[in-house]
């Protein structure tokens, strides 16, 4: 029966909180109860929880049932009471004057769990938002029933969504060694032992002269790669763009992105915190997402970055997904635009092609006259008629004569000088001028401020004048159909148009600035940055085969003419360096995943024990006996693989830099050389 607010239950709540708060293991640094830790102790019948509850008469009566001469702890009743008293299933709640995301009893920002991976295509992720978020399934043999029973405990979804609590993290975020380094240039790739550091480029962008200037593509876990970049790139990245896993379950090409909310938010938080450290003080981050997680993500972003704007991006016509959505077809995604420091950010206004704005309806006939007070004004309609301009040539006439076409506006709060000029022109029924120091003069006419249409004229890719308008927060002009072959990689539904990335990069960076994308996918961000002469760092864990970012960037270097190439007059050239995080236990996970039978897993067992790092609680002898038992053989191959994977220490997925000379790492001389050069270890030791 659910608990309800009564004097008795409120008194019991206070009593329980008072008892538990005196146990150091049950409170955090802010003196808040660690509800999930207490639940685990309840499930395990831990003495440090049961003893104080038994000693108090009120809690003894509430949560223990007398059986003969003993008392049995009612775990379900106690956990239900915890949920009632702590609002454990609440995501957002009011705390003082601040609204934030909550998971269980504490703020998301105060929790220290680390989600290592996003889901892989061959795995099934537990979906949905439930009270059990944060728990994991495991298997325990029941002697009475003679079978394995699925149970729940602290989450550790090894294949796809590994979660570590802070007290389990040892060397996880230590810088990782690199291997298989290659430099890709036009028509060739060669083994790479060193990284370029161009002092002149670094001087021009205000960075230390020894900053890396090579473009980098890094293969490996993006969280660990970001931490490995910290020493070299902290405070140096100008723009971060990421197209995140949308958490919808509809991603069809490389991974099932259906996280539950808590795992997804923790996954994002872990990476955004280190991303914040990598940004320059004037840097910005642009995250593209859909409406499935946008609201949650915005609250999380507000805690870490300074908000700038939300951009709505038209991504399709809606017809393609009309059968997937029971309501209106979804044709819009969102760009969350944030700064590391709001007032330090730099923004470049952008202009896009537009139709003629009919508000500009006045025309200066004698524009050649130097004395503007002698200008003769007629309507634009009259000018078109006088010049006998046909309907199909109106846009050309307007574009060619934009200097003499204008409209009147009445700005608010514009200051005394401009107001006086407008008032004078109103009284004279003619022209006047407001002269501004160190800025262009402003003309007024008949009581209004003059705005000439020339400010709406820009240039297309061929250098021809065209009508434009300043880009706003609704991006509905980007073509999203027919882009599948862009870059020579054909992920039909898995990439963004190059013109979209060029827009984000153009408004937030200058040439040679560093652009980072740690969900690189097929490499659109890197390809566009390369063509626009920005330095880039791309991180991706998955291998996309013939559609991989490395393949795409080779095409770019060789002169790819798709996407924005014609607009920027791309002719090819440049280079990038490919690096891999050197794998340790990650290799073991890949080997386990590749096994096609229990027999293959059994053969692999000795290698796992000898070559890889096992979790501290693994009993090798007992596990060896277990995998040969009939009951283990009755499990599905997926369950067998999962149990094998739980043997491994997740702190040791990749090789730490400090272990680079250990022969057991398998690193070659070139691997050690590129690692030491990247981290400048030889320089540091001199």
């Amino acid at each position: 029966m659910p608990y309800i607010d009564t004097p008795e239950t409120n008194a019991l709540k206070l009593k329980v909180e008072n008892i538990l708060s005196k146990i150091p293991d049950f409170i955090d640094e802010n003196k808040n109860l660690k509800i999930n830790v207490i639940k685990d102790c309840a499930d395990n019948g831990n003495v440090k929880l049961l003893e104080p509850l038994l000693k108090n008469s009120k809690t003894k009566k509430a949560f223990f049932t007398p059986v003969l001469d003993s008392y049995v702890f009612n775990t379900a009743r106690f956990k239900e009471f915890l949920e009632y008293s702590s609002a454990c299933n609440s995501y957002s709640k009011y705390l003082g004057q601040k609204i934030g995301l909550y998971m269980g009893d504490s703020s998301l920002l105060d929790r220290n769990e680390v989600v290592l991976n996003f889901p892989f295509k061959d795995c099934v992720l537990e979906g949905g938002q439930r009270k059990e978020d944060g728990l994991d399934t495991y298997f325990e043999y029941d002697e009475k029933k003679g079978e394995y029973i699925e149970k729940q405990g602290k989450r550790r979804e090894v294949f796809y969504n590994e979660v570590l609590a802070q007290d389990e993290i040892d060397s996880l975020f230590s810088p990782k060694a690199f291997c298989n380094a290659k430099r890709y240039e036009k028509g060739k790739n060669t083994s790479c032992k060193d990284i370029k550091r161009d002092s002149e480029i670094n001087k021009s962008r205000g960075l230390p002269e020894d900053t890396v200037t090579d473009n980098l593509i890094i293969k490996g876990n993006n969280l660990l790669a970001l931490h490995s970049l910290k020493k070299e790139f902290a405070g140096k990245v100008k723009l971060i763009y990421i197209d995140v896993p949308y958490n919808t379950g509809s991603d069809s090409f490389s991974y099932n992105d259906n996280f539950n909310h808590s795992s997804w938010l923790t996954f994002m938080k872990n990476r955004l915190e280190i991303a914040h450290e990598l940004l320059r003080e004037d840097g910005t981050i642009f995250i593209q997402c859909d409406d499935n997680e946008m609201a949650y993500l915005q609250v999380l972003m507000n805690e870490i970055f300074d908000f700038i704007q939300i951009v709505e991006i038209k991504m399709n016509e809606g017809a393609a997904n009309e059968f997937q959505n029971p309501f209106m077809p979804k044709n819009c995604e969102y760009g969350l635009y944030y700064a590391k420091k709001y007032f330090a950010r730099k923004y470049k206004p952008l202009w896009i092609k537009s139709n003629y704005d009919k508000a500009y309806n006045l025309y200066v006939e004698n524009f050649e006259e130097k004395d503007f007070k002698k200008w003769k004004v007629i309507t634009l309609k009259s000018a078109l008629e006088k010049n006998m301009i046909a309907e199909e040539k109106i846009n050309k006439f307007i574009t060619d004569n934009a200097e003499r076409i204008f409209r009147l506006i009445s700005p608010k709060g514009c200051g005394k000088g401009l107001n006086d000029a407008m008032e004078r022109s109103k009284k004279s029924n003619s022209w006047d001028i407001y002269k501004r120091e160190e800025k262009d003069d402003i003309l007024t006419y008949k009581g209004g401020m003059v705005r000439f249409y020339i400010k709406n004229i820009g240039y297309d890719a061929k250098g021809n004048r065209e009508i434009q308008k300043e880009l706003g927060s609704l991006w509905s002009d980007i073509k999203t159909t027919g882009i599948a072959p862009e870059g020579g990689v054909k992920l039909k539904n898995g990439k963004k148009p190059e013109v979209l990335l060029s827009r984000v990069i153009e408004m937030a960076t200058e040439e040679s600035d560093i652009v980072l994308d740690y969900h690189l996918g097929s490499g659109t961000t890197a390809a566009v940055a390369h063509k626009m002469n920005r330095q880039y760092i791309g991180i991706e864990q998955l291998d996309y085969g013939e559609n991989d970012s490395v393949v795409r960037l080779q095409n770019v270097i060789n002169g790819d003419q798709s996407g924005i190439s014609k607009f920027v007059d791309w002719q090819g050239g440049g280079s990038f360096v490919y690096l891999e995080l050197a794998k340790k236990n990650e290799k073991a996970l890949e080997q386990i995943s590749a096994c096609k039978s229990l027999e293959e897993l059994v053969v692999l067992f000795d290698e796992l024990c000898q070559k890889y790092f096992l979790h501290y609680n693994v009993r090798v002898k007992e596990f060896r006996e277990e995998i040969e038992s009939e009951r283990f053989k009755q499990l599905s191959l997926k369950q067998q693989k999962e149990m094998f994977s739980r043997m491994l220490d997740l702190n040791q997925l990749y090789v730490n830099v400090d272990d680079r000379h250990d022969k057991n790492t398998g690193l070659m001389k070139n691997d050690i050389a590129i690692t030491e050069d990247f981290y400048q270890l030889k320089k540091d030791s001199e």
Side-chain angles (χ1 to χ4, degrees), residues 230-297:
K230 182 176 177 179
K231 181 180 179 182
E232 177 62 29
F233 289 103
K236 298 178 181 179
V237 175
K238 188 64 173 295
L239 169 69
I240 297 174
Y241 170 90
I242 51 174
D243 180 23
V244 300
Y246 282 10
N247 199 15
T248 62
S250 62
D251 196 317
S252 62
F253 62 91
S254 269
Y255 55 84
N256 172 0
D257 60 351
N258 188 19
F259 283 83
N260 55 57
H261 283 297
S262 59
S263 290
W264 189 87
L265 286 166
T266 304
F267 168 87
M268 291 298 300
K269 168 183 174 284
N270 299 152
R271 287 147 183 81
L272 289 171
E273 287 174 333
I274 182 63
H276 184 272
E277 295 186 52
L278 295 175
L279 276 179
R280 289 171 48 143
E281 293 299 290
D282 60 350
T284 53
I285 180 170
F286 191 100
I287 301 183
Q288 191 159 347
C289 63
D290 72 351
D291 57 359
N292 194 60
E293 292 287 2
M294 192 272 282
Y296 289 110
L297 181 57

Side-chain angles (χ1 to χ4, degrees), residues 143-185:
E143 295 289 350
K144 293 182 178 179
K145 295 184 177 180
E147 61 182 1
Y148 283 94
I149 303 299
E150 184 176 297
K151 292 191 173 184
Q152 287 194 321
K154 188 175 182 179
R155 167 167 291 142
R156 189 185 290 259
E157 298 164 4
V158 176
F159 279 107
Y160 35 80
N161 184 26
E162 299 98 334
V163 178
L164 291 174
Q166 192 65 41
D167 59 3
E168 296 177 293
I169 297 171
D170 181 7
S171 59
L172 187 68
F173 296 145
S174 298
K176 306 306 175 191
F178 295 110
C179 64
N180 299 329
K182 292 182 181 179
R183 182 177 298 281
Y184 287 83
E185 299 171 284

Side-chain angles (χ1 to χ4, degrees), residues 287-411:
I287 301 183
Q288 191 159 347
C289 63
D290 72 351
D291 57 359
N292 194 60
E293 292 287 2
M294 192 272 282
Y296 289 110
L297 181 57
Q298 185 181 4
V299 175
L300 176 61
M301 291 289 290
N302 288 343
E303 297 280 1
I304 303 173
F305 299 92
D306 288 351
F307 175 73
I308 299 177
Q309 197 162 23
I310 293 180
V311 176
E312 293 180 75
I313 309 169
K314 182 180 178 182
M315 291 303 299
N316 59 60
E317 298 300 328
N321 63 7
E322 64 184 3
F323 296 109
Q324 300 173 19
N325 196 325
F327 305 107
M328 295 176 285
K330 292 172 65 172
N331 56 10
C332 179
E333 292 183 2
Y334 301 91
L336 274 60
Y337 194 30
Y338 280 76
K340 184 171 186 177
K341 297 283 182 66
Y342 181 84
F343 291 107
R345 81 200 190 287
K346 294 180 180 179
Y347 167 70
K348 187 189 306 179
L350 300 183
W351 295 75
I352 59 175
K353 186 175 181 179
S354 178
N355 295 320
Y356 164 61
D357 183 350
K358 294 182 180 180
Y360 289 82
N361 59 354
L362 299 173
Y363 181 87
V364 179
E365 273 197 307
N366 56 336
F367 189 73
E368 297 78 12
E369 173 61 54
K370 292 183 179 180
D371 185 358
F372 69 89
K373 291 189 176 183
K374 295 181 181 180
W375 283 349
K376 182 181 178 182
V377 177
I378 62 174
T379 65
L380 178 60
K381 182 179 179 182
S382 297
L384 294 172
E385 291 173 351
K386 279 189 177 184
N387 290 277
M388 295 183 290
I389 304 300
E391 182 73 26
E392 65 273 11
K393 295 185 178 181
I394 290 178
N395 276 356
K396 186 178 187 309
F397 177 84
I398 291 171
T399 304
D400 293 342
N401 294 277
E403 293 89 347
R404 62 176 74 206
I405 298 171
F406 69 96
R407 64 171 294 188
L408 298 178
I409 58 178
S410 300

Side-chain angles (χ1 to χ4, degrees), residues 131 136 436:
K131 292 181 179 180
D136 186 24
R436 297 189 296 175

Side-chain angles (χ1 to χ4, degrees), residues 103 141 195 260 264 356 383 400 426 471 477 480 519 636:
M103 291 164 49
Y141 191 76
I195 301 291
N260 55 57
W264 189 87
Y356 164 61
D400 293 342
K426 182 179 181 181
L471 179 68
D477 61 309
T480 57
H519 288 283
S636 68

Side-chain angles (χ1 to χ4, degrees), residues 185-199:
E185 299 171 284
K186 195 167 186 176
K188 65 177 182 179
N189 67 80
T190 55
S191 178
C192 181
K193 298 181 182 178
D194 52 34
I195 301 291
K196 293 179 181 178
R197 291 175 164 86
D198 190 312
S199 61

Side-chain angles (χ1 to χ4, degrees), residues 138-151 598 622-636 639-640 643-644:
Y138 65 96
F139 304 93
E140 186 174 288
Y141 191 76
D142 189 308
E143 295 289 350
K144 293 182 178 179
K145 295 184 177 180
E147 61 182 1
Y148 283 94
I149 303 299
E150 184 176 297
K151 292 191 173 184
L598 174 59
E622 292 181 13
F623 193 82
R624 183 191 299 276
E625 294 173 352
E626 186 64 31
I627 63 176
E628 295 176 353
S629 68
E630 286 300 317
R631 60 194 184 194
F632 191 87
K633 294 176 183 178
Q634 298 302 314
L635 296 176
S636 68
Q639 291 172 320
Q640 293 166 348
M643 294 176 74
F644 262 70

